[in-house]
Amino acid sequence: MIPQTTELTHPQADGLRGLDAPEAAALVCAGQPCPAPLRAAAARAEILLVQVTPTDRVEPTDQLDGHGAVTISHTGPSPFYASDIDLVLRSNGVRTLYVCGDPVAGMRLAYDAQRKGYRAVLVRAGNAPADVLGLRMPQISQAELTGQLAGTAPGARNWHEAVKAERMARPFAARLEPTRTALLMIDVLNDFCAEDGVIAKTKAAMPRVTEALPRIRTLLEGARAAGAHVLHVQAIYGPMFRGQGSPYRYPSTQTREGAVWCASAADITGAAPAFDPTMVEVCREGTWGADFVEGMAPVDGETVIRKHRYSAYLDTALDAELRRRGIETVVLAGVTTNCCVESTARDLAMSDYDTVIAEDCVAVKDLVLPLHDASIEQIRTYFGIVTPSDRILDAWH
C-alpha cells in the first residue's frame, strides 16, 4: 500500500522521525545524478549511496566514489541481471532501497529489486504519487526522505567494515539461530534412495545412502521442532526439461562408473546414439521414483523446490524463498554429495549464505566413494562448514 506522506518544507526541523532500519538501507540513484541535498543528507546519516549508470557495453567501470558511495554501470534496461548491483547490495546487508533519479529507470530498478526480494521505495520529486504501471509500490517524496535522513543519527551500518567483520565471524551456534536458518533436503527421493529406485536397479551398491536416511529423518525432525524452515528439493527430469546439462546417463569408457551423466559430458564419436530411456533417466515427472522417500515428505508450511539440473539454486525459486523468509544460514542434507549437494552448496556460498553440510546426512553410492571424500574436502575448504548432524541438533536445542 502507498503510504500517506506529508511534504516537509523545513527538513532540518527538530523532532523529525529518523529512517527505519538505517543499517540495512541504501539510496540508489538510477540514470541521473542524485539531488545534492538528498546526497548530502544520506552521507551525514551514513546511508550507503549507489549511483547507477547505463552503458552501451559491458565494461569494468564500477568504482568507489568515496566513503560509503559506489558507482555501478550496467547494460540493458535495468541493472538487475545486467550488473553486479545485487552482489554489492547483498554484500553490504542492504534490504531496503530508496530509489531516485530518472523516473523510468528508477521504476525498472525498483520493480526488479522487488523481484529479487528487496523492499524498494520510489523517491518522487513532488507530492503526487507516481503511476507505476498500476503497481502498488511504496513511495516517498524527496523532501520527506531528506527530512527522515536528517533525523537519522549516524551509527553502525552494515556496510561499515567493522560491522561486516563481526557478522562474518559469528560463532557456529549464532549462525544456527532457527528463525534465520533453513534445512535444505536435497533429492531425498525414491529413485536415488530406495531399494527399487533407478539407481539401485543399475546394481550400484549404496549402503551409505541407506545408512544416512535415519539420520536425515532425525535432522528433519529436529529442524521442525526448533522452528527452522524446511525446504524439500525435488528433482524433476524428462523430455520438457531435457538439454545439454540435464541429468541423463550416457555410456562412457572414460569414467570410474562407465558412464557420464549429461550430454555436455558425453564425448560422442561416430554415430550419435538415439535417445534411449534404458540408458537411465531418473525422476520422471509423475513417477514413483520422483516422489519423496516414505517418512520424508513435506508437511504443511514447508516449501518444495523443484529443480531440473544438479543445483537446486539454478532456475528455481530457492533464492527468492530464502530471501523472502530472511534466511541467512542453510543446512544441507541429502544426495548425492559429489553432485547435487556440492553444486547447491557452491551456489549458496557464493550468494553469501552461511552454508553448513550435515556430514553424516549426505552420501553416495559405493562406486564413487572417492568423489564423496573429495567433495567433503572441497566444501570444507572453500564453501561451508562440514560437521556432524549431532552438533547442528545441539545448536538448535
Side-chain angles (χ1 to χ4, degrees):
M1 179 177 293
I2 299 174
Q4 296 296 317
T5 59
T6 302
E7 185 74 9
L8 296 178
T9 55
H10 301 288
Q12 300 293 341
D14 292 338
L16 293 177
R17 179 171 65 86
L19 202 66
D20 293 334
E23 71 282 355
L27 176 61
V28 181
C29 304
Q32 58 186 222
C34 181
L38 195 53
R39 184 185 184 102
R44 285 192 298 271
E46 296 191 293
I47 303 303
L48 183 67
L49 177 65
V50 181
Q51 179 68 56
V52 177
T53 304
T55 183
D56 292 334
R57 61 181 181 178
V58 176
E59 48 191 19
T61 56
D62 290 10
Q63 62 186 44
L64 293 176
D65 294 333
H67 190 61
V70 62
T71 295
I72 293 176
S73 63
H74 73 95
T75 57
S78 167
F80 282 95
Y81 315 104
S83 79
D84 58 6
I85 187 171
D86 190 38
L87 173 63
V88 169
L89 299 173
R90 193 178 68 234
S91 299
N92 290 285
V94 172
R95 304 225 181 240
T96 300
L97 311 184
Y98 293 91
V99 182
C100 65
D102 176 77
V104 175
M107 180 268 292
R108 288 171 173 164
L109 188 152
Y111 175 74
D112 283 342
Q114 286 191 332
R115 293 176 65 194
K116 292 292 288 185
Y118 295 96
R119 175 176 179 261
V121 181
L122 282 175
V123 182
R124 60 181 188 271
N127 285 329
D131 181 9
V132 192
L133 301 178
L135 298 176
R136 303 292 292 177
M137 187 173 292
Q139 300 181 29
I140 191 172
S141 71
Q142 287 183 14
E144 184 179 11
L145 179 58
T146 301
Q148 289 191 11
L149 290 170
T152 301
R157 303 290 185 252
N158 291 347
W159 61 268
H160 290 172
E161 290 188 14
V163 175
K164 293 173 72 170
E166 182 178 357
R167 185 201 177 281
M168 292 168 68
R170 289 183 302 166
F172 182 77
R175 299 186 194 195
L176 269 290
E177 202 288 314
T179 62
R180 296 192 300 272
T181 301
L183 171 63
L184 190 63
M185 303 271 288
I186 298 181
D187 291 347
V188 187
L189 308 173
N190 291 322
D191 265 347
F192 296 125
C193 302
E195 293 182 359
D196 294 327
V198 164
I199 302 303
K201 287 181 178 178
T202 66
K203 308 302 182 183
M206 50 182 204
R208 287 163 180 79
V209 173
T210 302
E211 292 166 4
L213 289 176
R215 295 190 290 268
I216 295 174
R217 182 178 288 107
T218 298
L219 185 63
L220 172 61
E221 293 168 352
R224 288 169 173 168
H229 186 61
V230 178
L231 302 99
H232 301 259
V233 176
Q234 182 181 32
I236 297 293
Y237 304 130
M240 179 56 66
F241 311 107
R242 194 177 296 151
Q244 293 303 102
S246 58
Y248 174 69
R249 189 178 190 274
Y250 291 86
S252 173
T253 60
Q254 300 177 13
T255 66
R256 178 184 300 271
E257 66 172 279
V260 296
W261 277 92
C262 72
S264 175
D267 188 358
I268 306 296
T269 57
F275 188 86
D276 179 3
T278 64
M279 294 165 95
V280 182
E281 186 171 39
V282 297
C283 299
R284 290 288 293 264
E285 187 163 18
T287 65
W288 171 86
D291 283 344
F292 298 99
V293 169
E294 185 178 358
M296 306 276 198
V299 300
D300 287 347
E302 297 178 349
T303 302
V304 175
I305 299 292
R306 288 163 55 103
K307 72 177 177 70
H308 311 294
R309 296 296 185 264
Y310 298 135
S311 174
Y313 196 89
L314 182 67
D315 297 322
T316 74
L318 179 58
D319 184 45
E321 184 70 2
L322 295 175
R323 291 188 185 215
R324 184 176 74 85
R325 293 179 176 274
I327 299 298
E328 298 176 356
T329 299
V330 183
V331 176
L332 283 76
V335 295
T336 58
T337 316
N338 62 301
C339 192
C340 297
V341 173
E342 182 179 338
S343 296
T344 305
R346 285 171 175 258
D347 287 341
L348 286 167
M350 294 300 95
S351 297
D352 296 315
Y353 292 100
D354 280 320
T355 304
V356 178
I357 308 299
E359 185 172 11
D360 52 346
C361 294
V362 296
V364 299
K365 57 191 177 186
D366 281 8
L367 195 60
V368 290
L369 271 178
L371 300 185
H372 166 91
D373 295 336
S375 285
I376 289 295
E377 185 65 17
Q378 281 278 94
I379 295 169
R380 178 182 281 123
T381 303
Y382 298 106
F383 304 110
I385 294 172
V386 180
T387 192
S389 57
D390 283 349
R391 186 182 178 207
I392 298 168
L393 292 169
D394 286 345
W396 283 340
H397 292 157

